[in-house]
Amino acid sequence: MFDYHMHSSFSGDCNVDMEEMVKGAIAKGLSEICFTEHIDYDYPDDSIEFDFDKRKYGERIDELRKRYNGKIYIKKGVEIGVQPHLLDRYDEMLKAESFDFIICSMHTVERKGLHYGDLFKGITVEDASLKYYNELLHCVKNFTNYSILGHVDLIKRYAPEVIDNDFHDVLREIFSVIIPAGKGIELNTSGVRYGLPNGLPSDDVLKLYKECGGEIITLGSDAHKPEDIAFDFKESLELLRSIGFNYIATFEGLKPSFHSIDAC
């Protein structure tokens, strides 16, 4: 089993040492994990720095790989928070770095953080959601330096009320861009952990991705503490199998490998 979305104290919103996360993953019987530490340039909260020392990060990964060799595979990843005005900056940063796996996520829309609800002020939830998806569409049309899209419908987690519109039209357009480009999506199980009825994305979006020809999918808990590693994975694998997915992807040097869900 593989958890391909997790954080440690290299992320600005986590204070758990990386080794504690590794031990937690081993205790849960995982064979492979990927740390996906946050880089969120121009994040609208000066009290949090979503960046980290890449050299120290790589050294720590190498150290733990040696220490836990034979017990678990540890991959080096990153979760970047895209905004339209930051795409060139991310391209330049990623040219200078080496990662196994890159999650492209959107945490900020019109320079307003989703976490604080600023995007929803003065407009309807539907209008805010459309802004979110259209900005994501712009980013995938103009940026290709990533492996998968993270929690595609994250807006649902922060919306002050249930969103009735499924936005499948714009999601279909997003998928029409990323699938031919060899990009995938994740099933992020934190949605259930935060009280949503589904993971992120929801079941209907997973089905739409499959209908559009999507095959590359990773499974991630978005854990910031050991007890949340691999949260809801058994149920999530059953869901993916019921939709028609046969494989879960892992990555090395940004190249995907595929593993039968039946064997997980």
Side-chain angles (χ1 to χ4, degrees):
M1 181 59 66
F2 326 102
D3 193 332
Y4 257 62
H5 192 149
M6 55 193 300
H7 300 275
S8 75
S9 55
F10 280 94
S11 287
D13 60 351
C14 181
N15 59 10
V16 179
D17 185 79
M18 186 179 281
E19 187 167 12
E20 293 305 307
M21 298 298 284
V22 172
K23 290 178 178 177
I26 293 171
K28 293 198 174 187
L30 300 191
S31 59
E32 183 170 321
I33 58 175
C34 186
F35 284 99
T36 52
E37 311 294 6
H38 284 294
I39 299 180
D40 238 300
Y41 293 141
D42 203 13
Y43 190 74
D45 183 345
D46 293 337
S47 69
I48 303 175
E49 183 181 6
F50 281 122
D51 200 357
F52 56 87
D53 186 316
K54 285 76 167 178
R55 179 184 60 80
K56 289 183 179 179
Y57 178 51
E59 290 174 351
R60 185 64 167 150
I61 292 278
D62 289 342
E63 176 189 349
L64 292 173
R65 282 173 173 169
K66 292 176 183 177
R67 185 173 302 169
Y68 293 95
N69 183 38
K71 295 182 179 180
I72 194 167
Y73 290 103
I74 305 170
K75 297 295 178 64
K76 178 185 173 186
V78 65
E79 180 182 12
I80 57 172
V82 294
Q83 300 182 57
H85 67 289
L86 295 174
L87 302 182
D88 290 342
R89 184 177 175 187
Y90 279 121
D91 272 329
E92 288 302 310
M93 182 274 291
L94 291 167
K95 285 178 185 176
E97 301 297 333
S98 176
F99 293 104
D100 290 305
F101 179 63
I102 302 170
I103 300 177
C104 174
S105 296
M106 178 169 284
H107 305 116
T108 302
V109 180
E110 295 185 340
R111 306 196 185 200
K112 300 172 183 176
L114 297 180
H115 179 77
Y116 304 105
D118 294 341
L119 180 65
F120 302 100
K121 293 177 180 177
I123 60 175
T124 67
V125 169
E126 181 164 310
D127 286 345
S129 300
L130 188 58
K131 288 176 182 289
Y132 169 86
Y133 288 114
N134 280 335
E135 201 156 291
L136 181 58
L137 175 60
H138 172 89
C139 288
V140 300
K141 283 183 173 179
N142 293 278
F143 183 73
T144 61
N145 211 342
Y146 65 94
S147 308
I148 60 103
L149 295 184
H151 39 56
V152 175
D153 55 357
L154 180 65
I155 188 100
K156 293 174 181 174
R157 176 180 161 189
Y158 297 108
E161 59 190 70
V162 175
I163 303 169
D164 292 328
N165 191 328
D166 58 23
F167 295 98
H168 279 194
D169 288 345
V170 65
L171 280 164
R172 189 180 299 275
E173 191 171 357
I174 289 169
F175 294 154
S176 75
V177 174
I178 72 168
I179 292 171
K183 311 299 182 183
I185 66 170
E186 70 169 350
L187 174 52
N188 185 310
T189 62
S190 70
V192 178
R193 197 168 72 245
Y194 286 111
L196 294 174
N198 306 105
L200 298 167
S202 55
D203 299 8
D204 62 299
V205 178
L206 291 170
K207 291 174 183 176
L208 178 66
Y209 175 67
K210 180 66 175 174
E211 290 169 8
C212 290
E215 292 290 345
I216 299 175
I217 191 160
T218 60
L219 190 59
S221 64
D222 211 339
H224 289 66
K225 51 187 179 180
E227 53 263 41
D228 291 336
I229 294 170
F231 174 82
D232 206 45
F233 272 23
K234 180 180 178 181
E235 296 81 0
S236 296
L237 288 170
E238 291 174 356
L239 170 64
L240 291 173
R241 187 184 292 109
S242 72
I243 292 172
F245 291 99
N246 297 312
Y247 301 96
I248 292 291
T250 60
F251 284 77
E252 183 169 357
L254 303 180
K255 295 181 180 180
S257 297
F258 299 91
H259 310 267
S260 171
I261 287 178
D262 291 336
C264 291

